[in-house]
Amino acid sequence: MSGHHAHDHEHDHAHDNHYSDMQARVRALETLLTEKGLVDPAAIDAIVETYETKVGPRNGARVVATAWSDPDFADWLTRDATAAIGSLGYTGRQGEHMRAVFNTPETHHLVVCTLCSCYPWSVLGLPPVWYKAPAYRSRAVLDPRGVLAEFNLSLPETTKIRVWDSTAELRYLVVPMRPSGTEGWTVEQLADLVTRDSMIGTGLALQPEAAR
Amino acid sequence: MNGPHDLGGQMGFGPVAPEPHEPYFHAEWEKRALGLTLSCGAFGAWTIDESRHARENIPPAAYLSASYYEIWIRALETLLARHGFVTPDELKTGRLETPGAPPKRVLTAEMVAGVLSRGGPCDRPAEAAPGFVVGQTVRTKNLNPATHTRLPRYARAKTGMIEAVQGSFVFPDDNAHGRGENPQWVYTVVFDGPEIWGEGSDPTLSVSIDAWESYLEPV
């Protein structure tokens, strides 16, 4: 074991006092498995680097911005999201089977996995802690408006809310509504308005002023 | 199984706590936990369904007080011991005692990009045609197996509508327990909120699950 832990810096999180125990436990396991020749620490570095620098919500934002700009692509995304998203180069783990759902003025979509933490890694990267935590997983299906309020999102009382529980291997991407005042924008400009939360359904796309 | 993981509709966990500008990892060990879990998955010794079952089998008090990657590590240790890669003693002491079972493959750095971009598709051809059609009213069965299932408790014995036929996929209830892939058709079944949550529930709410065919019966 060489310098893989050289940058350790334990955060003293009040909500989780297991961190130093876990640091020791995981380090011991990695050492044991490395000595057995079962894991390659450099492979772990490569996995971490992939999800820290290459695979993240920018992928999904490009999918959404392309759908906003190109009706043919939006249609393809509706019919076969796996293929449409794959055409932009976003494939792979936890994105093998994709489905896109489109927000409208009448219906707002919200995605959860009540059973674990299923999430479309290939377009959104690794999920945030709140998505994996009991508070969100328990209430998103029961009280979505209450949950959305905790994200400072309040929808009209008449807006229908459709919650998608990811119980199988399909991974969902919410396509938020395109903000007005963005006519003629490029895909790159539009992608700046698409937040991670807007693609889960706990947020909306940003307004044009926010991109400036 | 009716484990601590099956959280839909439970109460008392407090507000969701979004963290502005959340980092991908909150501690160095979380990075290693992710990488170890994916690396050991590449051994080819267990399926994603078996690993999900290992996580949901953590006793409720431990599951609910663990952070997410702690759940992963606890399950990974179970799987490594079950499949003979490490002994329980080795897990306790951290000291190597036996070489352990040989894996089908060891993930190296050069393999990572390819493995991640391929993923693990689990659609498989089904032998029969779909038993339900779009628009059909169905009822979920009242199943309480002690083994793995992907039918959440809140959506059992409820009436909903087949909204889409999603294709045929490996059946996790069998695959988690070494009983084969036995692919089945998967359907998006949508329920009105009040069908699930009853009196006083949000009238604008609908909830869908993706259900394997054997979870459903015609109405």
Side-chain angles (χ1 to χ4, degrees):
Chain A
M1 295 289 298
S2 53
H4 298 294
H5 300 289
H7 304 293
D8 283 7
H9 53 288
E10 281 299 289
H11 300 256
D12 187 16
H13 286 258
H15 63 266
D16 190 341
N17 57 14
H18 303 310
Y19 271 22
S20 52
D21 289 351
M22 286 307 298
Q23 179 74 28
R25 185 169 178 170
V26 173
R27 189 181 301 199
L29 185 62
E30 181 176 339
T31 304
L32 178 65
L33 295 174
T34 304
E35 285 173 356
K36 286 186 176 229
L38 291 171
V39 304
D40 172 8
I44 298 181
D45 294 342
I47 291 166
V48 171
E49 197 209 339
T50 301
Y51 288 109
E52 281 195 316
T53 65
K54 297 193 178 87
V55 181
R58 283 298 294 178
N59 292 3
R62 260 198 82 85
V63 173
V64 171
T66 306
W68 284 349
S69 309
D70 177 354
D72 289 340
F73 183 83
D75 182 54
W76 191 12
L77 192 61
T78 308
R79 288 181 286 106
D80 186 351
T82 311
I85 292 168
S87 76
L88 298 180
Y90 313 135
T91 60
R93 194 180 174 88
Q94 292 300 308
E96 294 93 341
H97 310 286
M98 291 294 305
R99 182 154 176 205
V101 293
F102 293 69
N103 282 345
T104 66
E106 293 78 35
T107 303
H108 181 86
H109 298 283
L110 179 69
V111 182
V112 63
C113 172
T114 63
L115 295 174
C116 47
S117 61
C118 295
Y119 190 79
W121 290 17
S122 56
V123 287
L124 296 187
L126 298 174
V129 167
W130 59 259
Y131 186 86
K132 301 179 284 191
Y136 183 74
R137 287 163 54 193
S138 60
R139 271 174 52 241
V141 284
L142 170 65
D143 176 25
R145 282 181 196 271
V147 167
L148 294 179
E150 285 153 23
F151 288 86
N152 296 315
L153 175 57
S154 140
L155 299 170
E157 276 178 29
T158 51
T159 302
K160 290 183 183 140
I161 301 189
R162 170 64 184 274
V163 180
W164 301 77
D165 190 355
S166 309
T167 53
E169 299 300 339
L170 295 158
R171 300 291 168 263
Y172 291 92
L173 177 71
V174 176
V175 179
M177 283 187 287
R178 178 175 178 164
S180 52
T182 57
E183 294 73 18
W185 285 36
T186 65
V187 167
E188 284 308 315
Q189 287 173 311
L190 289 169
D192 286 339
L193 301 178
V194 184
T195 65
R196 178 198 65 195
D197 287 8
S198 73
M199 293 182 279
I200 302 171
T202 54
L204 304 176
L206 301 175
Q207 290 303 306
E209 310 84 77
R212 300 283 166 235
Chain B
M1 71 176 285
N2 296 338
H5 67 293
D6 190 352
L7 286 164
Q10 290 198 43
M11 296 176 183
F13 291 109
V16 180
E19 185 183 355
H21 312 296
E22 181 180 334
Y24 283 114
F25 301 98
H26 289 77
E28 201 64 20
W29 69 265
E30 295 189 338
K31 302 180 186 180
R32 311 314 287 177
L34 171 79
L36 279 171
T37 303
L38 269 52
S39 294
C40 295
F43 295 170
W46 55 79
T47 64
I48 191 167
D49 302 305
E50 184 178 345
S51 68
R52 284 187 184 133
H53 187 60
R55 290 170 195 165
E56 67 201 29
N57 250 315
I58 296 169
Y63 183 97
L64 292 172
S65 60
S67 70
Y68 205 77
Y69 287 114
E70 181 179 341
I71 292 172
W72 277 31
I73 286 294
R74 282 171 173 270
L76 178 61
E77 290 173 346
T78 300
L79 293 166
L80 288 167
R82 179 185 298 164
H83 291 274
F85 295 107
V86 300
T87 65
D89 263 2
E90 286 176 326
L91 288 175
K92 227 175 278 162
T93 64
R95 276 195 298 276
L96 188 151
E97 290 168 2
T98 67
K104 284 187 199 145
R105 71 187 78 78
V106 170
L107 187 72
T108 61
E110 301 70 48
M111 291 159 65
V112 166
V115 164
L116 294 181
S117 72
R118 267 194 308 279
C122 56
D123 51 335
R124 304 282 187 276
E127 283 176 16
F132 300 105
V133 298
V134 171
Q136 187 172 353
T137 301
V138 292
R139 191 165 174 84
T140 50
K141 291 183 187 168
N142 185 10
L143 302 170
N144 290 275
T147 46
H148 183 63
T149 185
R150 295 291 286 182
L151 178 59
R153 250 180 295 182
Y154 74 82
R156 294 179 193 164
K158 304 291 181 201
T159 300
M161 190 198 65
I162 302 278
E163 191 185 62
V165 184
Q166 297 291 4
S168 57
F169 291 86
V170 171
F171 184 47
D173 305 40
D174 283 345
N175 200 41
H177 302 286
R179 297 196 294 258
E181 295 193 329
N182 308 332
Q184 288 187 10
W185 291 97
V186 169
Y187 305 86
T188 296
V189 182
V190 60
F191 307 93
D192 287 335
E195 165 68 10
I196 294 177
W197 307 117
E199 212 172 303
S201 61
D202 184 343
T204 66
L205 171 63
S206 60
V207 178
S208 65
I209 61 168
D210 290 321
W212 274 264
E213 185 158 298
S214 62
Y215 297 168
L216 305 174
E217 55 198 9
V219 170

